[in-house]
Amino acid sequence: MEALISILTLAGKVAVGMLMLTIIVAAHELGHYLFARMYGMHVNAFAVMVGGVRKTDLSPYLRAPMAPRWMLFVFGTAAFLLAFLGAFNENATAHQAGLALVGIALPIWIVLRLEALYHLPRFSGIKTLFIACGIGLAVLMIGSRGQGIALESTVGILIAASIVAMILVYYRPTGASGEEDKQGYGSIEIEGDEGKETVSVRYRPLLHRTSRSGTEFSLLVVPLGGFAAIKGMHAKPDGSEVDVPNGFYSKSPLKRWVVLFAGPLFSVVFGIALMVGLFTIVGENRPVNEPVIASVKEDSPADLAGLESGDRVISVNGRIVETFYDLTRGVKDSWRLEDGERVGVPLILTFERDGVTDTIALTPEITGEPLPGWNPDLTQSEEKEIRATLGVYYGTKYVRLSSSSALREAVQYPVLMVAGLAKMVVSPKSASDGLAGPATIAEFTGSAVERGLYPIISLMALLSISLGIMNLLPFPPMDGGQMIIAFVEMLRRGRRLSISVQNVLSQVGVAFIVVLFLTAITVDINRKAKERSSEQEQPSAQQESDQPIPPDDGSPE
């Protein structure tokens, strides 16, 4: 049953994460669409999500008959039921067999069918499948250092990698489509009696509608973002993109600059709007700076000493405590070096519970490495320090703000993100603190899903703002890189840069994105390695100190 709950929980987190991504990207692309239309650029398509369902029947072109689709459906259903019932009845053999069928056998069968349908080179789809699974397992091994890998984690990685591979193979025909092709069309090459024949392949959206202006609005299948396809947005070797009627490059560099800027602008505005809505309707989650323990970490010094939620701390070592910050200040320096190791110094704590005052002695834990401290208002300090902790958390409460106060608070988020990005540029060593890779974002998403709707919307707002800011980086193919090109062309009085210069800039930009992505993954891995190392040396100190502020309980001391 635990395995079943774990799988369902993971599936829910993934679904919420993909939905968040789709909404965020749709807001971004809406900015491009609206300003493109305002400046007379034709938008071929505006889509929420990506992909589509293949509409073209390719069975008449098969070299040999395939098993009917109902057999695949029955096999897949039986595999899922076996895994589900095995987990429900706590039958490990049946559960693992079902997972193996779902994660290995079913994807192989599907990919082989797609190879036959699309007349792909033999085992090319299987190669894609194995490469995806290999990359997934390599990331798992690197991230875990080969230790403590559970079977469910391995199968989960294989299933995720298989889904990615199946999507790539399913949409392989669209890889040959050009800008002039209609959205959702692709083609395959079939070897016939009279040579090669090109067969058009159509992928239909779930829902679609074409406006009077000719823009196809569609809801697609795979919840991984969306797009706004502006006409004539691809540079040509001969520079003829400027002659496309109502095309992107037929407009002035200034108008193109504004259209490009509109996407990041909408991302930031959308994130700010979400935060303003949260702050005015529900409130801002603020710490309660009273010396009252909201919760106690299990097996921490406070827990072992008998402290409980609701206890009010009166004094530490005889010093009166009036705020939670006073408690942090009274505890953080209670450690010393002994034979080269940091050990906690016992302290005396007086507290009140149900009107009764009591005094206890306890020895705090020591953080494994320097961590941010706290300001008097319980905001996090930039200065890092080794400190002693008890394992208690302050409380938080939602404080509703006026519209002006909410806007003022929300606008600070993009400002702080830009400041953090500038700090990483000036001091690359700080990237380990400010850069978040896919694993960290997934962890934040999972934590938000567990905590409720408020954290989910808050995280979505922060990710939207982050998307807008990152897209302003001056490297093609990001919007910021294209904006730099448009700005240079303004200085050149509208003359386009040569295609060779644009290609070089694009290659540099792609290389930068790859390096940035790999750096983020490396930071994720190193961060996880440090957390595991600290947890082994100090079983609870690192976990409590790095934990983000929860919705009901505050940060620790």
Side-chain angles (χ1 to χ4, degrees), residues 238-259:
D238 59 358
S240 60
E241 68 271 13
V242 299
D243 299 323
V244 177
N246 299 321
F248 178 76
Y249 286 108
S250 68
K251 306 301 178 181
S252 69
L254 177 59
K255 291 181 179 179
R256 286 188 272 123
W257 190 95
V258 174
V259 171

Side-chain angles (χ1 to χ4, degrees), residues 203-221:
Y203 294 85
R204 72 171 186 271
L206 296 178
L207 299 172
H208 69 98
R209 176 182 174 274
T210 302
S211 67
R212 293 181 179 179
S213 63
T215 300
E216 182 186 65
F217 294 89
S218 57
L219 177 67
L220 300 180
V221 179

Side-chain angles (χ1 to χ4, degrees), residues 408-420:
R408 186 166 54 251
E409 290 290 327
V411 168
Q412 292 183 16
Y413 286 92
V415 174
L416 292 174
M417 286 186 186
V418 171

